Amino acid sequence: MAEIIQKDGIWVFDGDALRLTPGRDRNVGVLRRALGELVVPLGALAGISFEQGRKQGRLRLRLRDGADPLLHATGGRLAEPHDPYRLTVESDRYGVAEYFTDEVRDALLLEQVPGTPVKEYLLPGPPLPLSVSAGDGTASFDGERVRLEWNWKTEDVKAAAGPRTLALADILGVEWQPSAGLENGHLRFRVAGAPVRERAKYDPHAVELWGFKRDPLMALVAAAVQARLPHPSADGVPEVAPVPEAAEADHDALLRRLRELGELHREGVLTAEEFTMAKQAVLKRM
């Protein structure tokens, strides 16, 4: 058995699975805390890496595509404090981290675990029932239905129709997008026969997120629903194309946005970190 204990968390490998337990350090994100202990079977892993830094290092797990509904629903957009598959390692434990990495790699080779995508989820997703309040609403899921309820911050156009109850059988897909820079995020459900609004603030099937502390918890709802939808590799599952924001269709508008961000940064409205995040979000869309 291999084990590494850090303020950021505890990872244990028994040869068959890894147990990932979040630590109590203040840098551990709310999503990791809410997930609690994760058990990752060896067959779900595509690899492991350890990166050394001057003061701290990082252990990182790479899962096989399609193995975890959380990773599929969030699309690689989890920030490091909320990513359960990263562990901060103090410099005096680099030797332990290297040993841990070697043990997992040797097991992957011995069991001949392929790094190819899987055709079914190998992790179960968050337990149910589940309810999260963030942004302009509350999203609840009991395994059969999603319920969306609005608060006083919801746009009148969206709130006027009242709460929404979505049957799991009518949901085609789910997407969680964090806020980035000056752009808001969302938890969006694609529903059969229903049009999709470009902006989450007007979409009755989406919760708009503004970058506050509880926003990442909406990813739990996304993962729980995703775990009960047909696996993306299944035959006949329709591919739902992402809905572009209004500015995405206009290259000139994106260039204008970059100039605006630069001006806001020069004027001191945006910090260097906020400017970098916002700029990267725009460049990604270009």
Side-chain angles (χ1 to χ4, degrees), residues 43-47 62-65 108 112-118:
L45 286 185
R62 183 166 59 87
L63 271 62
R64 298 169 65 185
D65 289 345
L108 289 171
Q112 297 183 337
V113 177
T116 54
V118 298

Side-chain angles (χ1 to χ4, degrees), residues 19-23 29-39 84 127 220:
R19 293 184 177 273
L20 315 179
T21 306
V30 292
L31 177 59
R32 284 180 63 197
R33 294 179 186 274
L35 278 172
E37 183 180 84
L38 284 181
V39 178
L220 295 176

Side-chain angles (χ1 to χ4, degrees), residues 181-194:
L182 300 179
E183 297 187 11
N184 293 337
H186 61 259
L187 170 70
R188 188 193 302 276
F189 298 93
R190 309 293 173 82
V191 180

Side-chain angles (χ1 to χ4, degrees), residues 247-248 250-258 282 285-286:
E248 287 184 56
D250 186 347
H251 188 268
D252 291 338
L254 289 172
L255 292 176
R256 289 196 299 271
R257 181 62 170 164
L258 285 175
V282 175
R285 287 186 166 85
M286 292 179 70

Side-chain angles (χ1 to χ4, degrees), residues 167-235:
L168 183 63
D170 294 331
I171 297 176
L172 300 177
V174 58
E175 176 190 75
W176 174 81
Q177 173 75 49
S179 61
L182 300 179
E183 297 187 11
N184 293 337
H186 61 259
L187 170 70
R188 188 193 302 276
F189 298 93
R190 309 293 173 82
V191 180
V196 179
R197 305 286 178 86
E198 290 183 351
R199 301 182 66 183
K201 68 186 299 183
Y202 301 121
D203 190 341
H205 300 130
V207 176
E208 186 180 34
L209 305 173
W210 301 310
F212 297 146
K213 182 178 179 180
R214 291 182 58 83
D215 283 10
L217 294 178
M218 281 294 182
L220 295 176
V221 180
V225 173
Q226 186 65 56
R228 289 156 181 83
L229 293 177
H231 193 272
S233 68
D235 293 336

Side-chain angles (χ1 to χ4, degrees), residues 136-164:
D136 69 351
T138 298
S140 306
F141 182 51
D142 61 6
E144 296 181 358
R145 288 171 293 275
V146 171
R147 183 171 175 81
L148 302 177
E149 300 177 85
W150 314 117
N151 57 38
W152 63 274
K153 295 170 284 188
T154 309
E155 284 289 326
D156 292 343
V157 173
K158 185 162 72 172
R164 291 273 172 160

